[in-house]
Amino acid sequence: MRSLPSEGPQPWARSALVVLPVALIVLIVVVDLQAPNDVHLGPLLVIAPALTASFAGPRLTAAIGALAVAAQVLIAGLRGGVATSNHMAQIGALAVLSAFIVVFTVVRERRIRELARAESVSEAAQRALLRPLPERIGPLRIATMYLAAEHEAQIGGDLYTATRAGAGTRLLIGDVRGKGLAAVGESALLLSAFRLLAARHAALPDLAHTLDHSVGRYLLDFAETDDETAEHFITALLLDIPDDEPVVRLTNCGHPPPLLVSRGRVAFVDGDRSAPPLGVHSLAAEDYPHETRRFEPGDTLVLYTDGVTEARNRRGDFYPLAERVARWTTCEPAALVHHIRRDLLAHADGHLGDDAAVIAIGRLPI
């Protein structure tokens, strides 16, 4: 589970940092009392609660603010009396500014707690929707990577899943072309439908046709409640990998083609044609493409979403996935995904413009 955002320094560090505003108050008092009568450093005491607010909560900030006001009262008492109009104005201004700083820390702490709760709920929803794939399914070794474009967001538009279907494994990777809660609903719908239906259809085109019907029906049902639903669709790539044959069967619905790493070479698995994305235009089952390619022991398939290949560096260059994968052709799936993740983030300077997902699938000896 990803840790929640820190609310500030640890308690021991906070205790050490509190020495700074206290020392600042003492220093200002000493210097002000030693300075000529026409020099007034008391207003600088407001720096102490302002500094405290940067690392502490409202209680400690209020305590330092009260200490600063008390210090101003002490200065006034030793330099002509508290009742003078000048000193009264300084004390009042310091008290008001300290109160404003405390109010700021209260609001900030409330926002931090709200963000922590939102991230906790988001993370739980993400785990429910996008469950991590097992490292081993049948004769396949699998590694995955998911990077959300927004660091605060745990729910994105990319999706993937896998399930056993007879004597083989079926996988889905997709990308919802929408945003907001509607996109989350479409992701949940497609993942649930795939897990339910993957083993019920002997051929991938039949499965793609049924999934497209499910997505289209969902969009139709909510068309009147969401102005953007009509613009939504899902690119998807369906794979069927039998246990006892060194092949992979694919049906592509508008998704980027996978990469095949075989005998030290990297090539795109481009089919003769691609079907429209799910939810755009329903085709008859026989009209969906169905490709079969060799997938032998020792080979690796790399599935990905366009958030990977469309990631840009500072010069605006796209991430060259195939070129980079060619450097790591001898890596196991887990190591390959690790290299891609690190290299992708370095290429994009740590800031992705879109969610990015990668699945590496290696076939073990039959």
Side-chain angles (χ1 to χ4, degrees), residues 258-346:
L259 288 171
L260 176 63
V261 182
S262 179
R263 299 178 182 178
R265 297 183 178 181
V266 179
F268 286 101
V269 184
D270 284 316
D272 295 334
R273 61 190 180 90
S274 173
L278 303 179
V280 172
H281 179 66
S282 182
L283 301 177
E286 58 270 18
D287 293 330
Y288 281 89
H290 189 205
E291 304 286 337
T292 301
R293 298 296 178 91
R294 299 290 296 179
F295 184 43
E296 301 178 349
D299 291 351
T300 301
L301 274 169
V302 180
L303 318 180
Y304 57 93
T305 59
D306 60 11
V308 176
T309 52
E310 293 180 1
R312 296 176 182 265
N313 60 15
R314 293 183 178 181
R315 297 190 303 272
D317 302 324
F318 291 117
Y319 181 69
L321 178 62
E323 176 184 322
R324 300 301 173 85
V325 170
R327 301 178 181 179
W328 309 307
T329 56
T330 60
C331 291
E332 295 292 329
L336 177 58
V337 168
H338 173 75
H339 286 308
I340 293 174
R341 178 191 181 96
R342 184 178 59 183
D343 192 56
L344 175 64
L345 289 174

Side-chain angles (χ1 to χ4, degrees), residues 153-231:
Q154 286 295 299
I155 298 179
D158 293 355
L159 57 97
Y160 54 78
T161 190
T163 186
R164 293 289 290 173
T169 302
R170 285 189 168 175
L171 299 99
L172 163 71
I173 185 169
D175 185 358
V176 177
R177 298 301 181 175
K179 60 182 179 180
L181 294 178
V184 176
E186 292 161 35
S187 296
L189 168 75
L190 183 58
L191 290 171
S192 299
F194 178 84
R195 292 168 183 150
L196 178 65
L197 300 171
R200 298 185 180 182
H201 294 272
L204 288 182
D206 293 332
L207 176 59
H209 173 72
T210 304
L211 293 176
D212 178 77
H213 180 75
S214 298
V215 172
R217 184 62 179 268
Y218 175 90
L219 297 178
L220 180 63
D221 288 343
F222 288 92
E224 297 181 357
T225 60
D226 185 352
D227 294 337
E228 296 180 352
T229 301
E231 301 176 1

